[in-house]
Amino acid sequence: MFFFSKSSSTLGIDIGTSSIKAVQLKKENDKFILESYGLVNVYYPADSAAKIDVVAQTANVLRTLYERSRFSCKRIIMSLPSNLAFVSILNFPPMSEKEIQKSVEYQAKKYIPLPLTDVNLGWQILEEAQPPKTPSKLVTADDLAKMPVLLTAVPKTVINNYVSLAEQAGFEVVALEIESLSLIRSLIGEQDMSSILLVDIGAKSTILSVVHHGYLWATRHLSIGGDTITTSIAHSMGLSFERAEQMKRTSFQEGPASPAFGVTRNVIEIIKQEVQQIIRITENQGKKISKIILTGGGSKLPGLIEEFKNLSPKVETGNPFTQITRNPQVVDHLNDMAPQLAVSVGLAMRAK
Ligand SMILES: Nc1ncnc2c1ncn2[C@@H]1O[C@H](COP(=O)(O)OP(=O)(O)OP(=O)(O)O)[C@@H](O)[C@H]1O
Ligand SMILES: [Mg+2]
């Protein structure tokens, strides 16, 4: 018997405020294989008087990363930071997709603070109101009475900037996706029927995403992240950013003996309070959060997971590579980088 393998590669690129991450996956007979990956730190001077062309500089970094990591695919999928998108859940009575399309546009005007001509609108019916796929999945009368639809809107100026950056770097953008959606794909999957809170601790921001039945239900953006801790340590102790970063990384392990412990704990405490609040709001809506998944470079802080252990849902660090075949030689290196690569893995997995 002959099997004809169908394979194609996709490169997922996540441009963060502190680093650019890229992952190339090949899909072969419905399985993903890791072909290559790379991460490069970036630094944007806060002083806008420096007048650097951020787009041209980022395009250069992308080109270098492409060559250094030996990627071979020029067709890319890029992430859009969740704070640049408007995300809302709208409830409709059960209706056809054509009717939804019309109603979404009408309803969107109420939720999006920009003219609809200035945004790219996307929508997705959330699963709850659909007929059960299997007899074991029960749908209550309540579920049938409303059809929740996820509405996303991204300003066209944002999309144009990303497309022009990619073109300058020599790529063709096949899709752009809000980063929370990429994280769901790589860390949870659409088959998961529970309610989960994803906590992506980046450099400058932390994104909380409530995921229910594999779909995004709510997001919250906090303007604090790993670099907030580093900058506070640097300022309070008169240290360079690099030295403060080193102190941050050992602060939880050393505990109160570390001069950076208090600052680190204060920032983490703010994130924890927001986590508790979003869990309360979600559970008041009848969705019990079964698990908190930490991701993003900030979640690599040694001892951080223990700080979250006193919250009631169990806490774990997400692994975006569970569904991906990897070369055994890179597994250890990948495990260390995994929290930072979760968005780009999810982007590359989007390929059909
Ligand atoms: N081992 C580590 N221990 C503690 N913090 C770490 C570690 N490794 C990386 N970080 C922190 O992770 C952060 C960068 O994470 P990440 O690459 O996810 O951010 P980003 O995507 O560039 O930022 P953002 O999403 O906010 O734009 C930095 O603040 C860095 O200090
Ligand atoms: Mg990020």
Side-chain angles (χ1 to χ4, degrees):
M1 195 188 295
F2 294 97
F3 292 96
F4 295 98
S5 94
K6 194 170 155 274
S7 75
S8 59
S9 299
T10 308
L11 180 56
I13 298 184
D14 168 21
I15 301 181
T17 53
S18 76
S19 60
I20 298 179
K21 285 79 73 174
V23 169
Q24 184 173 316
L25 297 180
K26 182 163 78 168
K27 195 170 185 191
E28 206 168 73
N29 298 326
D30 285 332
K31 286 212 157 55
F32 288 106
I33 299 163
L34 176 68
E35 292 192 309
S36 192
Y37 62 95
L39 178 152
V40 63
N41 291 320
V42 287
Y43 172 71
Y44 304 104
D47 177 11
S48 58
K51 284 207 169 41
I52 55 151
D53 182 343
V54 175
V55 172
Q57 195 195 32
T58 311
N60 262 336
V61 175
L62 271 178
R63 269 193 296 267
T64 312
L65 178 65
Y66 187 87
E67 277 154 31
R68 208 188 63 189
S69 304
R70 306 213 175 121
F71 292 121
S72 58
C73 180
K74 289 278 187 181
R75 286 162 55 84
I76 63 169
I77 303 186
M78 292 172 102
S79 58
L80 292 166
S82 300
N83 60 316
L84 297 182
F86 302 98
V87 178
S88 289
I89 304 278
L90 308 182
N91 282 314
F92 292 108
M95 52 169 77
S96 72
E97 297 215 350
K98 223 169 161 185
E99 289 169 316
I100 294 177
Q101 176 68 38
K102 274 199 215 143
S103 308
V104 158
E105 283 177 17
Y106 177 74
Q107 294 277 346
K109 291 184 196 142
K110 293 192 222 160
Y111 294 91
I112 295 160
L114 286 175
L116 289 193
T117 45
D118 292 351
V119 297
N120 268 30
L121 212 56
W123 58 271
Q124 182 181 44
I125 300 172
L126 298 177
E127 197 176 46
E128 215 157 293
Q130 293 177 340
K133 281 183 189 152
T134 61
S136 64
K137 196 180 154 207
L138 295 174
V139 174
T140 66
D142 251 9
D143 293 331
L144 286 174
K146 60 183 169 55
M147 180 147 71
V149 170
L150 175 73
L151 174 75
T152 55
V154 182
K156 285 182 180 162
T157 48
V158 171
I159 292 179
N160 292 344
N161 283 345
Y162 274 81
V163 171
S164 116
L165 159 65
E167 283 172 357
Q168 279 195 43
F171 296 112
E172 183 202 342
V173 183
V174 291
L176 288 154
E177 177 172 82
I178 298 166
E179 55 192 348
S180 298
L181 300 176
S182 320
L183 287 175
I184 294 174
R185 198 175 297 111
S186 65
L187 298 176
I188 301 178
E190 285 178 4
Q191 306 309 316
D192 193 300
M193 286 295 125
S194 58
S195 301
I196 292 173
L197 179 65
L198 280 178
V199 181
D200 177 5
I201 309 176
K204 311 274 190 298
S205 60
T206 296
I207 311 286
L208 310 181
S209 310
V210 175
V211 184
H212 178 63
H213 290 194
Y215 290 89
L216 182 64
W217 276 79
T219 58
R220 179 140 173 60
H221 172 260
L222 315 177
S223 302
I224 50 173
D227 282 9
T228 315
I229 306 176
T230 311
T231 312
S232 305
I233 296 171
H235 282 166
S236 64
M237 297 172 63
L239 300 173
S240 69
F241 189 86
E242 289 70 26
R243 179 72 192 108
E245 178 74 20
Q246 283 171 353
M247 288 192 83
K248 173 182 81 173
R249 293 189 183 197
T250 54
S251 58
F252 269 154
Q253 283 171 323
E254 290 175 17
S258 161
F261 177 73
V263 174
T264 307
R265 204 185 44 189
N266 287 347
V267 177
I268 297 303
E269 201 48 47
I270 298 173
I271 296 176
K272 262 178 74 180
Q273 280 169 13
E274 295 286 345
V275 163
Q276 282 169 298
Q277 193 187 23
I278 204 164
I279 291 175
R280 254 196 318 273
I281 294 169
T282 309
E283 297 198 337
N284 282 343
Q285 294 167 351
K287 296 179 182 67
K288 177 105 187 97
I289 300 282
S290 64
K291 187 162 64 174
I292 300 172
I293 299 181
L294 301 180
T295 190
S299 73
K300 289 164 66 177
L301 184 67
L304 178 75
I305 198 152
E306 283 70 30
E307 286 292 309
F308 277 80
K309 288 248 159 94
N310 63 349
L311 299 182
S312 74
K314 62 179 174 177
V315 186
E316 61 186 51
T317 304
N319 179 359
F321 291 105
T322 50
Q323 309 163 62
I324 291 162
T325 309
R326 292 152 288 163
N327 178 341
Q329 284 173 342
V330 299
V331 167
D332 283 346
H333 186 233
L334 268 183
N335 284 346
D336 181 50
M337 291 171 73
Q340 284 176 283
L341 296 178
V343 170
S344 31
V345 171
L347 290 166
M349 287 173 75
R350 188 180 147 141
K352 292 277 180 287

